[in-house]
Amino acid sequence: MIPWLQEFPTLDEAALRALKKAFDSGYRTFSRTYGDSIEGFFDPLLYFLIWFERLLLAAPWWLVILVVAAVCYVAGRSRRLAVGVAVALFLIGYLGMWEDTMRTLAIIFVSTLIAIAIGIPVGIWMSRSDRVQAFITPILDIMQTMPIFVYLIPVVMLFGLGKIPGLIAVVIYAVPPVIRLTNLGIRLVDKEVLEAADAFGTDTWRRLFDIQMPLALPNIMAGVNQTIMMALSMVVIASMIGVKGLGQPVLQAVTNQYFALGLFNGAAVVALAIVFDRITQSYGRRIQSGRQN
Amino acid sequence: MATDSSHIEIRSLYKVFGDDPDSVMPYVREGMDKQELLEAHGHVLALRDIDLAVETGSIQVVMGLSGCGKSTLVRHVNRLIEPTEGSVEVDGQDVRTLDRTALQDLRRHKVSMVFQHFALFPHRTVLENVRYGLQMQGVARPECDERAQRWIDRVALTGYEGSYPHELSGGMQQRVGLARALATEAEILLMDEAFSALDPLIRADMQTLLLELQRELHRTILFVTHDLDEAITIGDRIAILRDGVVVQNGDSQEIVLQPSDDYISNFTRNINRGRVIQVGSIMEPAEDGAPAAEPDPDACVPSDMVLEEALSLVVDSSGEEAPVVDMDGRTVGAISVERMVHALAGDTGNGEDAEATGETADDTAAAQEEPAKQKPSKD
């Protein structure tokens, strides 16, 4: 009998080990050679994150609550929503989680900004060409299905523990929805409206910024909303590589079986999620309400 | 054929949709028809050898059933669709030769368009929609707004400047579409089934509005419709398109009285001939040199009066026959009641099937199938 019909033909152990080793050492050499310069590249981001975190922590608590409530009101024009948000934030502080919440708020805010800054241009690029779409879609699928821990490894190898690897991990995990929905939103813009724009001699840029982007905005906002939610869900995992915030007490609670600690901090994450969700959704609804067909 | 007064001149225009239109053009030129081309080569023949000259300041209607290529045809004028072969000249300039910027200029300044489903910008108010073309022209904001406002007033939408399109009814939305197209002051106006999506009453309103505006503006209008009544109401000339070929191009009198084939006569059989045929088209012309007897002005019929009115006028006044006068009041012929009745019955030229015309009251959809059935027996 032919052996590979009975037993699965595997690479022999030595060769397999050598392959993995080669892979690892290759990446290690890469990270040793370029690690510093790549880290340097991300420094401004780190400074911005630290600055924003300090700002949130240094500001008087009532001012932060006031500003967040005001943003809510401006986005959604709903007094009830603003009051609800203020109460939720106050409760978080009252239960002693103010500092961690501010740290989490800072990293979520910054990583969302980065995700939008990367995601919208990529989404626009994707919407303009079917070939680009066919190329990027599988990459996004991989980013979303690959277990998060797997891409934590190379990031940590490159940057060590800390804020920047956490930020990068969060962004990688959270950026696909905003890319997808920007692409989708632009592709869904009514063809007749675009034809009308063309018929009046609109050039490519104005077509994009005056017609396509505003009409895709509700979808883009839905993408931003999704991105924020995914970023929040990364908080606990990011805390494993040293990101401070609400994730760390949760991690601590898991390892030590502190149920109450886990519950409170988990609830604080949920409260933050609700705040972000309501702000983006009500803003999305408001821009949409002006223009149903 | 190419006269100085033609504003749009379309010559031997072909349009084939498909992966490689050029590869099938030899077959098209050999005379392969739409159906064969689709089956044998997988390409869609949209337009075949179109020649159409539109005079400055006139309304040229392009009429045909859906899928006949009429919307494709108008889109060649501002090159929203690229021709496969042939030329489309606007002011003597072939639009095919224009580069990107020149084409944008053409669309901004020379040709504007009104769409079937309005195609308004849903995120912009009425004012913002109407001034869009002016903004594209680079007109400064205050002037934009002032000019846009003038057009909003002209289409009777004063007070709705701040409304969004979805807050308006269909008719009002198309008024916005019309104002947006007129505001650029482009000399050529393309109207693609502009009124087809509207209710009959609103449609009649819009037709009246368009004709009213046109009396002052004298734009060159290419108007696409599938509705013969609309074509007759609006068009100075009517080109009837079938399977991408112009079957007949003439004024409403020619289309109704001298249909070039069965396809067209089937089209025209259901229209109200009394409201279309003008006395001048069927009168007995006055003999040259015959002394023009001084007619009684009350008994005279103007030559552009339609039969419906002329009949009652003649019957009321004299009874049998009346002189026909032109716009200057000169006698140009005579019309008898009998002649008018014959014309109403479709009894002009090919009178033998007059009865058949009377009894069927199908809509135009039936007209599409009829000639197909009749054709084999004729060939």
Side-chain angles (χ1 to χ4, degrees), chain A residues 55-72:
Chain A
L55 181 75
L56 284 178
L57 287 172
W61 62 269
W62 48 268
L63 186 65
V64 174
I65 293 183
L66 216 64
V67 168
V68 174
V71 169
C72 268

Side-chain angles (χ1 to χ4, degrees), chain A residues 39-61:
Chain A
E39 239 183 301
F41 175 77
F42 284 103
D43 272 348
L45 221 55
L46 181 65
Y47 295 143
F48 177 61
L49 177 58
I50 292 172
W51 172 81
F52 189 65
E53 201 178 279
R54 284 201 185 134
L55 181 75
L56 284 178
L57 287 172
W61 62 269

